Amino acid sequence: KETYNTKIAGAVSILVSQLSKLSFFKKKIKIFGSVSLTDPITKNYYGIFKKKPFYFFSRTNYYLHLLNKIIKNEHKTINEIHNRPQAAKFFLKKKPLCRNILYFHNSPKELRGSKSTNERLFLLNNLDKIIFVSEWCKRIFFEGLKIKNSNNTQVVYPGSDCLKKLPKKENLIVFAGKLNYAKGYYIFLDAILKILNKHKNWRAKVIGDDPRPYHKKYHKNLEYTGWITHKQTLNIFSKAAIVTIPSIWEEPLGRTSIEASSRGCATILSKSGGLVETNNNGIFLKNNSKNELFKNIDE
């Protein structure tokens, strides 16, 4: 589903591109996605949709229909499906002789094809491997099942390279992500204006955007960058003293926290979902509010 594009790559696309470069099979890997792109992250990407889907197909079903035409002669492959249990069922039916792996990047109970206990039990009994990006995701998968673990399930955390030397830090505070309520953007916005008014020699950057309408508040020391590349984001983290992640929704993991830590940032974050697994030295908010965030940044 994600756009496998250098500028607006999400956590799934970044992980897939990193793994494909490190894999023992990197020369044989083909990455399929829905949209045809002129600037994919890696050259081994193939877009499925050349035109809009027919109205009588759902987008996912049409995607799988076209994908099957492309890979119908491929046998004994490893099929790695990311975040689409519905697609995993398709591969199990069409490619029974292949190794079929499903990666969960979000809550299994919110994805089509794994919402019910029967659907999750089917995946558990038929897939060669199910990988979760956090213990939180794995726990959600086994909710309602009689068992709580299986040999074909595993948690594999996304990673980030670490800097060999801590860079010189600037008086800079960063928020990175979609600019919406669920990500805690408005909590950050209210807290940061108070911080910038109190601490005149500090600046703040908001990295990201959102397809839905959102409000901006302005200050001479507050900058909105919009979407920038993953590399540019890491460069900003290298300069930033503080990164904030006041997410309200239950984050399946929280890649931003891992990457901020890898760049030596003091990371202030909520305890939502899998965020608690991302940072052994993070500053966790006791309650996720603008006053609590202000207090922790101020300290």
Side-chain angles (χ1 to χ4, degrees):
K1 182 184 177 183
E2 283 194 358
T3 303
Y4 194 75
N5 172 279
T6 304
K7 189 170 183 180
I8 58 172
V12 179
S13 294
I14 293 167
L15 176 65
V16 169
S17 66
Q18 289 178 336
L19 293 180
S20 71
K21 292 174 184 176
L22 294 169
S23 173
F24 178 80
F25 303 104
K26 59 186 175 183
K27 293 182 179 179
K28 297 181 179 181
I29 290 175
K30 292 179 180 178
I31 298 170
F32 293 98
S34 61
V35 185
S36 295
L37 300 169
T38 55
D39 56 344
I41 308 174
T42 53
K43 294 179 180 179
N44 56 348
Y45 173 84
Y46 303 86
I48 298 294
F49 289 144
K50 308 300 179 185
K51 56 185 179 181
K52 289 184 178 180
F54 296 126
Y55 71 92
F56 50 82
F57 271 108
S58 76
R59 186 178 176 87
T60 301
N61 285 336
Y62 188 50
Y63 171 82
L64 295 173
H65 168 73
L66 294 179
L67 180 61
N68 188 47
K69 286 186 174 182
I70 297 170
I71 65 171
K72 63 182 179 181
N73 294 322
E74 297 281 355
H75 301 291
K76 296 185 178 179
T77 60
I78 299 174
N79 301 317
E80 186 176 288
I81 304 106
H82 285 263
N83 232 23
R84 283 293 174 272
Q86 185 181 1
K89 288 184 177 181
F90 161 85
F91 275 101
L92 287 169
K93 181 179 179 181
K94 297 288 185 180
K95 301 290 179 182
L97 299 179
C98 298
R99 298 281 184 174
N100 294 299
I101 302 168
L102 176 61
Y103 253 88
F104 276 107
H105 297 263
N106 288 90
S107 168
K109 292 172 75 173
E110 294 179 6
L111 298 173
R112 189 178 298 170
S114 61
K115 292 181 179 181
S116 72
T117 53
N118 285 339
E119 286 175 325
R120 298 198 298 279
L121 199 58
F122 171 82
L123 296 172
L124 195 62
N125 290 333
N126 290 281
L127 286 166
D128 293 282
K129 198 80 173 179
I130 302 175
I131 297 175
F132 307 92
V133 295
S134 67
E135 291 288 350
W136 180 86
C137 278
K138 183 178 178 181
R139 187 170 68 253
I140 296 296
F141 180 88
F142 281 99
E143 278 186 1
L145 301 183
K146 292 182 179 179
I147 58 172
K148 299 302 175 186
N149 200 5
S150 175
N151 289 335
N152 65 333
T153 64
Q154 188 175 353
V155 173
V156 179
Y157 290 113
S160 178
D161 63 318
C162 292
L163 300 179
K164 294 180 180 179
K165 184 179 179 182
L166 187 69
K168 185 178 179 180
K169 292 292 185 176
E170 300 175 5
N171 290 351
L172 177 62
I173 305 160
V174 172
F175 173 95
K178 289 183 178 179
L179 309 188
N180 58 34
Y181 174 83
K183 287 288 187 180
Y185 164 66
Y186 293 105
I187 291 174
F188 171 81
L189 209 54
D190 289 338
I192 203 63
L193 291 179
K194 289 177 65 178
I195 287 290
L196 296 177
N197 286 331
K198 181 177 180 180
H199 300 279
K200 308 292 185 182
N201 61 332
W202 279 74
R203 298 179 296 114
K205 285 190 178 183
V206 174
I207 301 171
D209 209 327
D210 202 277
R212 293 157 291 192
Y214 61 89
H215 299 293
K216 287 183 179 181
K217 292 185 179 180
Y218 296 94
H219 191 284
K220 65 177 182 178
N221 289 338
L222 175 60
E223 177 188 352
Y224 292 84
T225 69
W227 289 123
I228 56 177
T229 66
H230 182 235
K231 184 177 180 180
Q232 288 171 321
T233 301
L234 291 179
N235 286 339
I236 291 174
F237 285 171
S238 295
K239 298 174 184 177
I242 300 169
V243 171
T244 66
I245 310 160
S247 289
I248 292 171
W249 82 300
E250 291 191 306
E251 294 274 2
L253 181 70
R255 189 181 185 93
T256 302
S257 173
I258 295 171
E259 293 178 338
S261 305
S262 77
R263 265 53 189 169
C265 303
T267 309
I268 303 173
L269 62 167
S270 70
K271 296 180 179 180
S272 298
L275 273 174
V276 292
E277 301 174 48
T278 63
N279 198 317
N280 291 333
N281 300 294
I283 301 163
F284 288 97
L285 299 169
K286 291 180 181 178
N287 61 78
N288 199 9
S289 67
K290 61 182 180 181
N291 291 332
E292 181 72 8
L293 182 59
F294 168 80
K295 173 188 168 186
N296 280 273
I297 298 174
D298 191 39
E299 288 176 356

